[in-house]
Amino acid sequence: MSATSLPQRPYRRIATEEAFSPPQMLEIYRRILDKPDVDVGFKHLMGFYMQSPSERAQHIMRCLVDLDDLRLQHMDEAGVDVQVIGLTSPGVQIMDKDTAVAFAPVANDLLADAMRRHPDRLVGMIAVAPQDPQAAAREIERGVQQLGMHSVVINSHTQGEYLSDPKFWPIFEAAQALDTPIYLHPNAMPASMIQHFIEAGLDGAIYGFGVETGLHALRLITAGVFDRFPKLQIILGHMGEALPFWAYRLDYMHAATVKSQRYPSVQPLQRKPSDYLRENFHITNSGVAWGPALKFTQDFMGPDRVLYAMDYPYQYAPQEVEILENLDMAPQVRKAFFQDNAERLFKIAPAKPSI
Ligand code: 1DF
Ligand code: MN
Protein backbone atom coordinates (compact mmCIF):
# COMPACT_ATOMS: atom_id res chain seq x y z
CA MET A 1 0.00 0.00 0.00
CA SER A 2 1.54 3.30 -0.97
CA ALA A 3 0.38 6.84 -0.47
CA THR A 4 0.70 7.65 -4.13
CA SER A 5 -1.04 4.50 -5.37
CA LEU A 6 -4.29 5.25 -3.54
CA PRO A 7 -5.87 7.93 -5.73
CA GLN A 8 -9.45 7.11 -4.73
CA ARG A 9 -8.99 7.91 -1.05
CA PRO A 10 -10.73 11.30 -0.63
CA TYR A 11 -8.25 12.57 1.95
CA ARG A 12 -4.54 12.58 2.77
CA ARG A 13 -3.25 10.81 5.82
CA ILE A 14 -1.35 13.40 7.86
CA ALA A 15 0.62 11.97 10.77
CA THR A 16 1.15 14.65 13.37
CA GLU A 17 3.63 13.45 16.04
CA GLU A 18 6.60 12.31 14.05
CA ALA A 19 10.17 12.76 15.25
CA PHE A 20 13.63 13.57 13.87
CA SER A 21 17.09 14.26 15.23
CA PRO A 22 19.85 16.17 13.47
CA PRO A 23 23.08 14.14 13.68
CA GLN A 24 24.64 17.25 15.26
CA MET A 25 22.20 16.97 18.16
CA LEU A 26 23.36 13.41 18.81
CA GLU A 27 26.92 14.71 19.13
CA ILE A 28 25.76 17.14 21.82
CA TYR A 29 23.85 14.30 23.48
CA ARG A 30 26.98 12.12 23.50
CA ARG A 31 28.86 14.80 25.42
CA ILE A 32 26.00 15.10 27.93
CA LEU A 33 25.79 11.31 28.35
CA ASP A 34 29.54 11.19 29.08
CA LYS A 35 29.19 13.47 32.09
CA PRO A 36 29.17 11.78 35.50
CA ASP A 37 26.12 13.76 36.68
CA VAL A 38 23.95 13.01 33.63
CA ASP A 39 20.22 13.23 34.28
CA VAL A 40 18.89 9.77 35.10
CA GLY A 41 15.80 10.04 32.88
CA PHE A 42 17.87 11.21 29.89
CA LYS A 43 20.30 8.32 30.44
CA HIS A 44 17.42 5.85 30.42
CA LEU A 45 15.87 7.44 27.32
CA MET A 46 18.41 8.67 24.79
CA GLY A 47 21.23 6.77 26.51
CA PHE A 48 19.30 3.63 25.63
CA TYR A 49 18.55 4.49 22.02
CA MET A 50 22.06 5.77 21.31
CA GLN A 51 23.93 2.90 22.95
CA SER A 52 21.79 -0.23 22.82
CA PRO A 53 22.75 -2.84 20.20
CA SER A 54 19.08 -3.99 20.07
CA GLU A 55 17.30 -4.08 16.73
CA ARG A 56 14.68 -1.58 17.97
CA ALA A 57 17.25 1.00 19.08
CA GLN A 58 19.39 0.68 15.94
CA HIS A 59 16.37 0.95 13.67
CA ILE A 60 15.05 4.01 15.48
CA MET A 61 18.43 5.77 15.34
CA ARG A 62 18.64 5.17 11.57
CA CYS A 63 15.16 6.58 11.02
CA LEU A 64 15.52 9.57 13.34
CA VAL A 65 18.36 11.21 11.43
CA ASP A 66 16.84 10.69 7.98
CA LEU A 67 14.64 13.34 6.37
CA ASP A 68 14.79 11.90 2.86
CA ASP A 69 14.64 8.49 1.19
CA LEU A 70 14.29 6.18 4.18
CA ARG A 71 11.60 8.29 5.82
CA LEU A 72 9.66 8.73 2.58
CA GLN A 73 9.95 5.01 1.90
CA HIS A 74 8.50 4.20 5.32
CA MET A 75 5.74 6.75 4.79
CA ASP A 76 4.90 5.18 1.42
CA GLU A 77 4.93 1.69 2.91
CA ALA A 78 2.57 2.71 5.70
CA GLY A 79 0.33 4.90 3.52
CA VAL A 80 1.23 8.12 5.33
CA ASP A 81 1.09 11.07 2.93
CA VAL A 82 2.42 13.83 5.18
CA GLN A 83 4.44 13.88 8.39
CA VAL A 84 4.31 16.75 10.86
CA ILE A 85 7.75 16.53 12.44
CA GLY A 86 9.14 17.68 15.78
CA LEU A 87 12.63 17.61 17.25
CA THR A 88 12.80 14.33 19.15
CA SER A 89 12.50 14.38 22.93
CA PRO A 90 14.10 15.97 24.91
CA GLY A 91 15.25 18.17 22.04
CA VAL A 92 17.35 21.08 23.26
CA GLN A 93 15.68 21.05 26.67
CA ILE A 94 18.37 18.83 28.22
CA MET A 95 21.17 21.19 27.10
CA ASP A 96 22.64 24.11 29.03
CA LYS A 97 20.94 27.38 28.22
CA ASP A 98 23.49 28.79 25.77
CA THR A 99 23.82 25.56 23.81
CA ALA A 100 20.03 25.16 23.73
CA VAL A 101 19.39 28.71 22.51
CA ALA A 102 22.07 28.31 19.83
CA PHE A 103 20.99 24.85 18.65
CA ALA A 104 17.21 25.29 18.36
CA PRO A 105 17.56 27.51 15.24
CA VAL A 106 20.08 25.09 13.74
CA ALA A 107 17.58 22.24 14.11
CA ASN A 108 14.79 24.41 12.71
CA ASP A 109 16.86 25.41 9.68
CA LEU A 110 17.66 21.76 8.93
CA LEU A 111 13.98 20.86 9.14
CA ALA A 112 13.04 23.83 6.95
CA ASP A 113 15.56 22.61 4.34
CA ALA A 114 13.90 19.19 4.37
CA MET A 115 10.48 20.83 3.96
CA ARG A 116 11.79 22.59 0.86
CA ARG A 117 13.13 19.31 -0.55
CA HIS A 118 9.80 17.51 0.08
CA PRO A 119 7.17 20.22 0.17
CA ASP A 120 4.14 17.97 -0.07
CA ARG A 121 5.42 15.31 2.35
CA LEU A 122 7.09 17.03 5.33
CA VAL A 123 5.81 19.76 7.66
CA GLY A 124 7.96 21.09 10.50
CA MET A 125 7.23 22.16 14.05
CA ILE A 126 9.36 24.91 15.59
CA ALA A 127 11.75 23.74 18.32
CA VAL A 128 12.46 26.26 21.07
CA ALA A 129 14.64 26.51 24.18
CA PRO A 130 12.36 27.29 27.15
CA GLN A 131 15.57 27.90 29.14
CA ASP A 132 15.40 31.42 27.63
CA PRO A 133 11.71 32.31 27.25
CA GLN A 134 12.39 35.54 25.33
CA ALA A 135 14.67 33.78 22.86
CA ALA A 136 12.05 31.03 22.51
CA ALA A 137 9.40 33.63 21.69
CA ARG A 138 11.68 35.17 19.05
CA GLU A 139 12.37 31.75 17.54
CA ILE A 140 8.63 31.09 17.25
CA GLU A 141 8.33 34.35 15.34
CA ARG A 142 11.26 33.47 13.07
CA GLY A 143 9.83 29.99 12.49
CA VAL A 144 6.50 31.40 11.36
CA GLN A 145 7.75 34.37 9.37
CA GLN A 146 10.90 32.93 7.80
CA LEU A 147 10.60 29.15 7.86
CA GLY A 148 6.90 28.70 7.11
CA MET A 149 6.23 26.62 10.19
CA HIS A 150 3.00 27.11 12.10
CA SER A 151 3.35 25.04 15.27
CA VAL A 152 5.78 24.60 18.15
CA VAL A 153 7.03 21.46 19.86
CA ILE A 154 7.99 21.48 23.53
CA ASN A 155 9.10 18.22 25.10
CA SER A 156 7.33 18.65 28.45
CA HIS A 157 9.36 19.85 31.45
CA THR A 158 12.71 21.60 31.08
CA GLN A 159 15.12 20.17 33.64
CA GLY A 160 12.33 19.83 36.18
CA GLU A 161 10.64 23.15 35.42
CA TYR A 162 7.07 23.39 34.17
CA LEU A 163 5.49 25.92 31.83
CA SER A 164 2.96 26.67 34.56
CA ASP A 165 5.66 28.99 35.97
CA PRO A 166 4.85 32.54 34.75
CA LYS A 167 8.50 33.09 33.86
CA PHE A 168 7.82 30.92 30.78
CA TRP A 169 4.71 32.80 29.70
CA PRO A 170 6.41 34.92 27.02
CA ILE A 171 6.33 31.65 25.08
CA PHE A 172 2.55 31.45 25.42
CA GLU A 173 2.25 35.13 24.59
CA ALA A 174 4.07 34.55 21.28
CA ALA A 175 2.21 31.32 20.53
CA GLN A 176 -1.15 32.98 21.04
CA ALA A 177 -0.21 36.11 19.06
CA LEU A 178 1.16 34.09 16.14
CA ASP A 179 -1.60 31.47 16.31
CA THR A 180 0.84 28.58 16.68
CA PRO A 181 -0.39 25.56 18.63
CA ILE A 182 2.16 24.01 21.00
CA TYR A 183 2.63 20.25 20.85
CA LEU A 184 3.33 19.32 24.48
CA HIS A 185 5.26 16.14 23.81
CA PRO A 186 6.53 13.75 26.51
CA ASN A 187 9.99 13.88 28.03
CA ALA A 188 11.69 11.52 30.46
CA MET A 189 10.49 12.26 33.97
CA PRO A 190 12.54 14.63 36.13
CA ALA A 191 14.91 12.97 38.61
CA SER A 192 12.67 13.93 41.53
CA MET A 193 9.85 11.79 40.08
CA ILE A 194 11.40 8.95 38.14
CA GLN A 195 12.92 6.52 40.62
CA HIS A 196 9.87 4.39 41.42
CA PHE A 197 9.03 4.21 37.73
CA ILE A 198 12.54 3.09 36.72
CA GLU A 199 12.51 0.35 39.37
CA ALA A 200 9.49 -1.13 37.64
CA GLY A 201 10.64 -0.38 34.09
CA LEU A 202 7.63 1.92 33.66
CA ASP A 203 9.34 5.28 33.22
CA GLY A 204 9.16 5.46 29.42
CA ALA A 205 6.44 5.56 26.79
CA ILE A 206 4.75 2.56 28.40
CA TYR A 207 3.39 4.73 31.25
CA GLY A 208 5.76 7.32 32.78
CA PHE A 209 5.61 9.64 29.75
CA GLY A 210 1.84 9.84 29.97
CA VAL A 211 1.83 10.47 33.72
CA GLU A 212 4.39 13.27 33.48
CA THR A 213 2.97 14.97 30.39
CA GLY A 214 -0.57 14.68 31.75
CA LEU A 215 0.63 16.35 34.94
CA HIS A 216 2.20 19.12 32.87
CA ALA A 217 -1.04 19.76 31.01
CA LEU A 218 -3.01 19.86 34.26
CA ARG A 219 -0.49 22.24 35.80
CA LEU A 220 -1.15 24.63 32.89
CA ILE A 221 -4.87 24.45 33.56
CA THR A 222 -4.70 24.92 37.34
CA ALA A 223 -2.13 27.73 37.03
CA GLY A 224 -4.66 29.73 35.01
CA VAL A 225 -2.65 29.75 31.77
CA PHE A 226 -5.83 29.60 29.67
CA ASP A 227 -7.55 32.37 31.60
CA ARG A 228 -4.54 34.53 30.75
CA PHE A 229 -4.20 33.18 27.15
CA PRO A 230 -7.73 32.12 26.17
CA LYS A 231 -6.88 31.39 22.53
CA LEU A 232 -3.78 29.29 23.22
CA GLN A 233 -3.97 25.75 21.83
CA ILE A 234 -2.00 22.83 23.28
CA ILE A 235 -1.72 19.52 21.45
CA LEU A 236 -1.40 16.32 23.47
CA GLY A 237 -0.51 12.95 21.99
CA HIS A 238 -1.25 9.45 23.22
CA MET A 239 -5.00 10.01 23.33
CA GLY A 240 -4.56 13.11 25.44
CA GLU A 241 -2.29 11.27 27.89
CA ALA A 242 -5.55 9.76 29.22
CA LEU A 243 -6.87 13.11 30.47
CA PRO A 244 -10.30 12.79 28.79
CA PHE A 245 -10.86 9.72 30.93
CA TRP A 246 -10.07 11.80 34.03
CA ALA A 247 -12.33 14.73 33.11
CA TYR A 248 -15.22 14.02 35.48
CA ARG A 249 -13.03 13.53 38.52
CA LEU A 250 -10.87 16.54 37.67
CA ASP A 251 -13.94 18.77 37.60
CA TYR A 252 -15.34 17.42 40.84
CA MET A 253 -12.09 17.46 42.80
CA HIS A 254 -10.91 20.80 41.44
CA ALA A 255 -14.12 22.42 42.63
CA ALA A 256 -13.84 20.69 46.01
CA THR A 257 -10.20 21.75 46.39
CA VAL A 258 -10.95 25.38 45.53
CA LYS A 259 -13.93 25.49 47.89
CA SER A 260 -11.99 24.12 50.85
CA GLN A 261 -9.01 26.41 50.12
CA ARG A 262 -6.79 23.40 50.50
CA TYR A 263 -3.82 24.57 48.36
CA PRO A 264 -2.65 28.10 47.55
CA SER A 265 -1.81 26.78 44.05
CA VAL A 266 -5.43 25.77 43.40
CA GLN A 267 -7.41 28.97 42.90
CA PRO A 268 -10.78 29.56 41.22
CA LEU A 269 -10.72 29.42 37.43
CA GLN A 270 -13.05 30.98 34.88
CA ARG A 271 -14.01 27.57 33.49
CA LYS A 272 -14.04 23.93 34.57
CA PRO A 273 -10.90 21.84 33.95
CA SER A 274 -12.83 19.81 31.36
CA ASP A 275 -13.85 23.02 29.55
CA TYR A 276 -10.18 23.92 29.04
CA LEU A 277 -9.46 20.40 27.81
CA ARG A 278 -12.21 20.77 25.21
CA GLU A 279 -11.51 24.35 24.21
CA ASN A 280 -7.74 24.81 24.55
CA PHE A 281 -6.47 21.37 23.57
CA HIS A 282 -6.28 19.12 20.54
CA ILE A 283 -5.51 15.44 20.95
CA THR A 284 -3.74 12.96 18.72
CA ASN A 285 -3.97 9.19 18.86
CA SER A 286 -0.19 8.69 18.68
CA GLY A 287 0.70 5.25 20.00
CA VAL A 288 -2.93 4.26 20.46
CA ALA A 289 -4.60 2.50 17.52
CA TRP A 290 -7.59 1.41 19.55
CA GLY A 291 -11.16 2.02 18.40
CA PRO A 292 -13.03 2.35 21.72
CA ALA A 293 -10.47 4.82 23.14
CA LEU A 294 -10.55 6.87 19.93
CA LYS A 295 -14.33 6.94 19.87
CA PHE A 296 -14.50 8.07 23.49
CA THR A 297 -11.93 10.80 22.83
CA GLN A 298 -13.84 12.01 19.75
CA ASP A 299 -17.08 12.05 21.76
CA PHE A 300 -15.45 14.00 24.58
CA MET A 301 -13.40 16.49 22.52
CA GLY A 302 -15.63 16.69 19.46
CA PRO A 303 -14.42 15.18 16.16
CA ASP A 304 -12.71 18.40 15.08
CA ARG A 305 -10.14 18.23 17.87
CA VAL A 306 -8.83 14.69 17.45
CA LEU A 307 -6.04 14.04 14.93
CA TYR A 308 -4.14 11.12 13.51
CA ALA A 309 -0.50 10.50 14.52
CA MET A 310 1.83 7.53 14.18
CA ASP A 311 4.78 8.48 16.46
CA TYR A 312 7.37 7.55 13.84
CA PRO A 313 9.90 6.08 14.32
CA TYR A 314 9.15 5.03 17.91
CA GLN A 315 5.96 3.25 16.91
CA TYR A 316 6.42 2.54 13.23
CA ALA A 317 3.57 0.06 12.90
CA PRO A 318 2.08 0.23 9.38
CA GLN A 319 -0.68 -2.23 10.29
CA GLU A 320 -2.10 0.42 12.65
CA VAL A 321 -3.10 2.52 9.64
CA GLU A 322 -5.24 -0.40 8.51
CA ILE A 323 -6.72 -0.87 12.00
CA LEU A 324 -7.71 2.80 12.08
CA GLU A 325 -9.11 2.70 8.53
CA ASN A 326 -11.27 -0.28 9.45
CA LEU A 327 -12.92 1.44 12.41
CA ASP A 328 -16.58 2.26 12.14
CA MET A 329 -16.41 6.04 11.63
CA ALA A 330 -18.58 8.41 9.60
CA PRO A 331 -16.78 9.40 6.37
CA GLN A 332 -16.58 13.08 7.28
CA VAL A 333 -15.23 12.23 10.75
CA ARG A 334 -12.59 9.97 9.21
CA LYS A 335 -11.57 12.75 6.81
CA ALA A 336 -11.37 15.21 9.72
CA PHE A 337 -9.27 12.76 11.72
CA PHE A 338 -6.75 11.98 8.98
CA GLN A 339 -6.63 15.28 7.11
CA ASP A 340 -8.88 18.28 7.77
CA ASN A 341 -8.08 18.88 11.44
CA ALA A 342 -4.34 18.74 10.75
CA GLU A 343 -4.60 21.03 7.71
CA ARG A 344 -6.46 23.60 9.81
CA LEU A 345 -4.37 23.35 12.99
CA PHE A 346 -0.93 23.25 11.32
CA LYS A 347 -1.97 25.50 8.37
CA ILE A 348 -1.00 22.88 5.79
CA ALA A 349 -1.90 23.83 2.23
CA PRO A 350 -4.38 21.46 0.59
CA ALA A 351 -2.87 18.92 -1.81
CA LYS A 352 -2.37 20.09 -5.37
CA PRO A 353 -4.66 18.15 -7.69
CA SER A 354 -2.62 15.46 -9.44
CA ILE A 355 -2.38 15.70 -13.23
C1 1DF B 1 9.62 6.86 22.90
C2 1DF B 1 8.29 7.13 22.67
C3 1DF B 1 10.57 7.84 22.68
C4 1DF B 1 7.90 8.37 22.22
C5 1DF B 1 10.18 9.08 22.20
O1 1DF B 1 11.05 10.11 22.00
C6 1DF B 1 8.84 9.34 21.91
C7 1DF B 1 10.02 5.57 23.40
C8 1DF B 1 12.37 9.99 22.52
O2 1DF B 1 9.30 4.58 23.18
O3 1DF B 1 11.08 5.47 24.03
O4 1DF B 1 8.49 10.47 21.30
N1 1DF B 1 6.52 8.62 22.16
O5 1DF B 1 6.06 9.73 21.91
O6 1DF B 1 5.73 7.70 22.52
MN1 MN C 1 6.43 10.90 20.35
Side-chain angles (χ1 to χ4, degrees):
M1 181 167 66
S2 106
T4 41
S5 70
L6 283 170
Q8 310 89 325
R9 180 159 40 91
Y11 50 85
R12 294 187 290 175
R13 295 196 192 98
I14 305 177
T16 57
E17 189 200 301
E18 319 308 306
F20 92 113
S21 170
Q24 300 92 316
M25 186 164 86
L26 301 177
E27 290 307 318
I28 298 172
Y29 280 4
R30 261 182 213 106
R31 292 207 293 276
I32 296 173
L33 287 165
D34 279 344
K35 290 187 182 156
D37 59 343
V38 56
D39 173 75
V40 58
F42 183 63
K43 193 176 77 182
H44 278 261
L45 183 60
M46 289 319 284
F48 168 74
Y49 286 112
M50 291 173 63
Q51 291 159 2
S52 164
S54 67
E55 176 57 36
R56 173 176 168 78
Q58 304 265 319
H59 170 79
I60 284 170
M61 292 314 297
R62 266 194 306 278
C63 299
L64 271 180
V65 294
D66 182 278
L67 289 170
D68 293 285
D69 294 353
L70 182 63
R71 185 171 295 254
L72 297 187
Q73 181 199 319
H74 285 154
M75 290 167 67
D76 289 345
E77 282 167 8
V80 168
D81 299 285
V82 180
Q83 279 195 350
V84 181
I85 301 176
L87 189 62
T88 203
S89 189
V92 302
Q93 291 166 250
I94 193 71
M95 302 174 191
D96 67 76
K97 178 170 150 179
D98 291 347
T99 310
V101 170
F103 193 75
V106 174
N108 292 332
D109 287 345
L110 287 167
L111 192 50
D113 288 343
M115 288 167 67
R116 280 189 284 271
R117 291 196 299 278
H118 310 291
D120 29 296
R121 305 302 300 276
L122 306 184
V123 171
M125 293 192 259
I126 303 161
V128 296
Q131 291 94 323
D132 184 339
Q134 299 293 348
R138 287 194 299 274
E139 185 60 9
I140 296 174
E141 194 174 327
R142 190 184 77 96
V144 172
Q145 293 173 354
Q146 293 181 33
L147 305 181
M149 300 182 186
H150 301 283
S151 61
V152 177
V153 58
I154 297 185
N155 291 299
S156 197
H157 73 93
T158 303
Q159 300 176 31
E161 294 195 300
Y162 286 84
L163 301 171
S164 46
D165 184 332
K167 78 176 184 183
F168 291 115
W169 293 8
I171 299 174
F172 294 142
E173 185 102 50
Q176 176 172 274
L178 293 157
D179 194 27
T180 52
I182 297 176
Y183 207 120
L184 192 66
H185 183 278
N187 187 355
M189 289 178 156
S192 54
M193 195 189 286
I194 203 169
Q195 199 49 49
H196 298 286
F197 291 81
I198 287 183
E199 263 162 38
L202 295 173
D203 52 298
I206 185 172
Y207 186 63
F209 278 15
V211 171
E212 198 274 337
T213 310
L215 168 74
H216 199 154
L218 290 178
R219 287 183 65 137
L220 301 185
I221 292 174
T222 57
V225 165
F226 303 105
D227 289 342
R228 175 76 177 71
F229 304 102
K231 290 187 178 156
L232 179 65
Q233 294 295 318
I234 302 291
I235 309 168
L236 291 174
H238 317 103
M239 226 55 111
E241 313 297 2
L243 293 182
F245 207 78
W246 279 92
Y248 181 94
R249 192 163 171 77
L250 290 169
D251 285 350
Y252 185 92
M253 285 299 172
H254 185 266
T257 307
V258 168
K259 195 156 181 235
S260 57
Q261 302 187 334
R262 187 167 171 177
Y263 291 99
S265 54
V266 181
Q267 293 297 320
L269 296 169
Q270 290 173 15
R271 294 176 266 156
K272 296 199 297 284
S274 65
D275 294 333
Y276 299 103
L277 283 176
R278 276 190 273 247
E279 292 161 19
N280 293 96
F281 286 79
H282 288 70
I283 285 179
T284 82
N285 80 308
S286 55
V288 187
W290 189 21
L294 179 55
K295 184 170 185 342
F296 172 72
T297 306
Q298 287 173 322
D299 285 350
F300 173 73
M301 296 292 288
D304 292 344
R305 285 183 177 267
V306 184
L307 292 75
Y308 169 62
M310 173 176 270
D311 210 355
Y312 178 88
Y314 296 100
Q315 194 157 338
Y316 177 57
Q319 69 277 17
E320 292 180 351
V321 175
E322 209 175 312
I323 292 172
L324 293 165
E325 287 288 355
N326 286 327
L327 296 177
D328 181 26
M329 214 186 281
Q332 70 275 19
V333 173
R334 187 185 305 282
K335 183 166 171 284
F337 173 68
F338 279 112
Q339 172 188 280
D340 297 342
N341 298 342
E343 286 186 351
R344 191 174 58 250
L345 189 61
F346 296 98
K347 301 191 177 76
I348 303 171
K352 293 185 217 79
S354 49
I355 9 162

